[in-house]
Amino acid sequence: MATPTPSNSPAITVDFRGVSFQTPAGALLVSDLNLAIHQGETLVLLGESGSGKTTTLKLINRLLEPTRGEVLVDGRPTTAWDPIRLRRSIGYVIQDIGLMPHFSVARNVGLVPMLEGWDAERILARTSELLGMVGLDPTAFAHRRPHELSGGQRQRVGVARALAADPHILLMDEPFGALDPVTRAELQREFRELKKKLRKTIVFVTHDLREGLMLADRIGLMAGGKLIAVLPPADFLRAEHPEIKSIVAVYRARTEFDA
């Protein structure tokens, strides 16, 4: 049985209860996952490729369904949601962005509001607001096509598109992973400031501990489909678990080398 949330604690937005996911071929990608993600927090899922991070993300917006246990979004099992309604209520940012190449920047950003039936004036206002929020001047960028943008600019458009219908949950899967180090660092700093303004529940997948320490309220380490630990950044750095100590040691060595 899930432990009740104390009255003075933030509400639980996403709740994994004994969740496992197994492929038809028998591969167990997530195993017995119990995890409560609170309203307004940024949870970073950290781990190597194949650890179960992206599978966990896809279980939230019902791109995948649990083979055991249940995932609750706003107190309701994802299997009880209409999948289209659920996905439109959750922003999703991925590494390769997935912008429509023949759409303008403005049309890419306004796609979900258009599908939701917003009027043209409201879509235009929201698009302009979001482009400005992610550092792209609407007058300069709204009518461009994705191929006319740099990688960092395309990623900013991807973030704006994910926020367009004002979802209260934002899923981000290695969003800055394909960028060069300078652009990546710049977007990390910008997103850290942006998330303070947004106050949304954010689940952010990365294999980079530095990125996790910069952005997270809590860091969840995954390995082999299991959740090893969930800790605030400062506690993560001090943790005695051998897998955490190994990751922290590598991070500190690289930090000293870069310095």
Side-chain angles (χ1 to χ4, degrees), residues 3-226:
T3 302
T5 304
S7 59
N8 61 345
S9 297
I12 295 173
T13 301
V14 180
D15 198 4
F16 288 82
R17 299 181 177 179
V19 172
S20 295
F21 177 78
Q22 190 170 26
T23 68
L28 189 61
L29 302 186
V30 169
S31 178
D32 196 27
L33 176 59
N34 291 282
L35 173 64
I37 304 170
H38 297 97
Q39 181 180 334
E41 82 164 322
T42 298
L43 175 74
V44 168
L45 291 178
L46 181 73
E48 299 298 328
S49 297
S51 61
K53 310 183 302 296
T54 294
T55 299
T56 299
L57 214 62
K58 290 180 177 180
L59 286 163
I60 296 173
N61 65 358
R62 204 179 165 186
L63 287 175
L64 297 173
E65 295 184 2
T67 47
R68 186 166 63 83
E70 62 180 3
V71 183
L72 279 69
V73 173
D74 295 333
R76 184 180 179 190
T78 54
T79 51
W81 283 80
D82 173 77
I84 294 175
R85 174 55 48 199
L86 178 65
R87 289 167 200 155
R88 288 186 185 174
S89 69
I90 297 174
Y92 194 30
V93 185
I94 57 178
Q95 185 177 123
D96 60 6
I97 310 165
L99 299 179
M100 300 292 188
H102 54 292
F103 282 8
S104 67
V105 165
R107 195 173 177 192
N108 267 288
V109 173
L111 183 59
V112 172
M114 181 189 70
L115 294 172
E116 290 291 286
W118 292 23
D119 63 63
E121 185 175 346
R122 185 183 177 195
I123 292 173
L124 177 61
R126 180 63 173 165
T127 298
S128 296
E129 174 192 7
L130 286 170
L131 288 178
M133 190 182 293
V134 298
L136 298 175
D137 181 357
T139 59
F141 289 95
H143 300 291
R144 294 190 189 182
R145 296 291 190 272
H147 73 271
E148 298 176 295
L149 306 177
S150 69
Q153 290 167 344
R154 287 195 296 271
Q155 202 62 56
R156 286 180 171 91
V157 175
V159 172
R161 181 181 61 181
L163 295 171
D166 199 21
H168 67 296
I169 301 172
L170 186 61
L171 308 180
M172 306 187 75
D173 192 357
E174 299 273 10
F176 311 136
L179 301 174
D180 66 84
V182 173
T183 303
R184 180 172 185 166
E186 180 182 2
L187 284 181
Q188 287 168 344
R189 288 191 297 270
E190 290 177 2
F191 185 74
R192 182 175 58 184
E193 296 306 311
L194 181 61
K195 79 183 188 74
K196 294 176 185 176
K197 301 175 185 176
L198 296 174
R199 298 182 179 178
K200 297 186 182 296
T201 303
I202 301 171
V203 186
F204 190 108
V205 162
T206 185
H207 65 274
D208 181 355
L209 177 55
R210 178 185 175 278
E211 189 166 64
L213 293 170
M214 178 182 288
L215 300 178
D217 296 310
R218 291 189 298 158
I219 298 174
L221 176 64
M222 298 194 72
K226 292 184 176 293

